Amino acid sequence: VRARVMQVDQSPDVTYQDIGGIEEQMEEVRETVEMPLKNPEMFEDVGIDPPSGVLLHGPPGTGKTMLAKAVANQTDATFIKMAGSELVHKFIGEGAKLVRDLFDLARQEEPAVVFIDEIDAIAAKRTESKTSGDAEVQRTMMQLLSEMDGFEDRGEIRIIAATNRFDMLDRAILRPGRFDRLIEVPKPNAEGREQIFQIHTRDMNVSDDVDWAALAEMASEASGADVKAICTEAGMFAIRDDRTEVRMEDFEEAWEKIQKEADEDEDVSK
Ligand code: ATP
């Protein structure tokens, strides 16, 4: 069971150079997660405790998972990911045990970055979700809180959680000593999108006619994940046209296609 819910990566390959448009958030994560792992004595000398847990919140596909992986990479820590939704929906009756296993594993793997994605699935306000009234979900959350509370001597384990639904969270998890550092990871602005286009085309054969600033303008409202999808799709258009060089028009068509698909998805979900 454990193997299916927890994703363990001893040496994640994401670096800070792979992340665009969220410099401030990156700095904050470095200060709150990387520094305590790399220079714990700094915190001891000054006499403050580093934040216990850091919560990243913001829309899907903005780089929250990447940030957690990049910190693990930078600190030579093991990256351990667990998705809240899987915990609750797939392994009914086992949530609390899995949380315990998660922390046991982290202690074995030290230094470790524990990433809990979709934390809202186990930590939603009672009023907000059908599942949160569920005793099983409550038990899972209590186990998580007790692991965090009993973690005075955390050693080389840092906890990062992420959510797209900040408004749904039970405030209990935001209390001091728990996820007491909140970092909002927004969608990128035009400048950020331009950077992300450049990151995802680093290994692509791109024609000189590509105007990065215009692309970034065009893809307004795109998340980092959307920008990546545009680049891949643009490459597909070139291949279909039997070319090895990707042109501006390929990116334009790719964006149209992706928007259309997004609209259709919305219609389906209605
Ligand atoms: P979710 O909330 O859906 O889990 P997330 O915020 O964790 O999303 P990631 O999984 O980090 O998003 O991003 C998905 C993919 O999109 C990444 O693997 C990367 O290719 C691309 N991406 C997203 N944000 C960025 C960014 N800021 N810079 C570069 N690439 C990005």
Side-chain angles (χ1 to χ4, degrees):
V1 170
R2 182 155 146 181
R4 278 182 291 159
V5 221
M6 292 180 210
Q7 180 199 321
V8 182
D9 191 343
Q10 247 99 19
S11 49
D13 58 5
V14 178
T15 71
Y16 296 122
Q17 280 75 42
D18 300 324
I19 305 176
I22 46 173
E23 270 78 33
E24 266 176 50
Q25 289 77 7
M26 209 152 82
E27 272 314 307
E28 231 183 309
V29 168
R30 297 190 70 162
E31 190 185 294
T32 50
V33 189
E34 185 184 315
M35 277 276 280
L37 276 173
K38 273 193 164 164
N39 306 94
E41 67 288 350
M42 285 271 283
F43 288 82
E44 276 157 33
D45 290 350
V46 174
I48 56 166
D49 293 326
S52 298
V54 173
L55 178 74
L56 308 177
H57 62 101
T62 47
K64 297 183 287 300
T65 307
M66 288 185 98
L67 273 173
K69 282 190 176 169
V71 175
N73 171 318
Q74 185 71 24
T75 53
D76 293 318
T78 301
F79 176 79
I80 307 174
K81 175 179 158 174
M82 162 119 101
S85 58
E86 303 226 315
L87 250 184
V88 175
H89 300 304
K90 287 207 187 143
F91 304 101
I92 298 163
E94 302 211 52
K97 179 173 182 304
L98 282 165
V99 170
R100 231 175 301 129
D101 287 352
L102 174 72
F103 283 86
D104 285 346
L105 180 65
R107 281 183 276 265
Q108 275 166 35
E109 293 283 336
E110 230 179 336
V113 171
V114 172
F115 181 65
I116 306 174
D117 203 5
E118 304 171 76
I119 188 151
D120 46 278
I122 46 173
K125 279 183 264 197
R126 281 160 203 262
T127 49
E128 293 281 337
S129 135
K130 286 193 269 328
T131 51
S132 66
D134 196 315
E136 151 70 3
V137 177
Q138 285 297 321
R139 262 199 306 279
T140 306
M141 175 163 117
M142 295 315 290
Q143 185 63 39
L144 175 64
L145 294 183
S146 93
E147 291 284 353
M148 292 188 76
D149 290 346
F151 231 40
E152 283 294 294
D153 191 15
R154 182 169 295 101
E156 293 186 298
I157 301 172
R158 312 305 312 174
I159 310 166
I160 304 180
T163 180
N164 307 324
R165 303 296 313 272
F166 182 65
D167 54 308
M168 273 184 40
L169 291 184
D170 188 325
R171 301 289 129 174
I173 72 157
L174 308 178
R175 276 192 212 132
R178 293 171 176 174
F179 293 99
D180 48 9
R181 191 61 97 92
L182 309 179
I183 304 178
E184 185 180 0
V185 185
K187 279 193 188 177
N189 61 18
E191 201 185 316
R193 291 193 297 274
E194 190 170 337
Q195 277 175 25
I196 300 171
F197 266 114
Q198 279 164 357
I199 288 168
H200 288 291
T201 51
R202 274 197 300 233
D203 297 325
M204 280 171 68
N205 183 7
V206 175
S207 121
D208 289 340
D209 80 333
V210 172
D211 178 343
W212 300 109
L215 271 187
E217 270 321 314
M218 171 192 84
S220 63
E221 294 301 305
S223 66
D226 295 330
V227 169
K228 183 187 176 175
I230 296 171
C231 295
T232 307
E233 196 57 54
M236 290 305 299
F237 276 107
I239 289 172
R240 277 184 214 120
D241 203 23
D242 212 16
R243 276 181 283 113
T244 53
E245 199 180 59
V246 185
R247 296 179 187 154
M248 186 69 178
E249 66 194 49
D250 298 321
F251 286 98
E252 288 163 351
E253 284 182 61
W255 175 230
E256 267 172 41
K257 182 169 177 208
I258 283 164
Q259 274 178 304
K260 226 176 168 181
E261 284 170 358
D263 285 348
E264 281 162 14
D265 280 353
E266 231 165 72
D267 288 343
V268 172
S269 66
K270 265 180 205 159

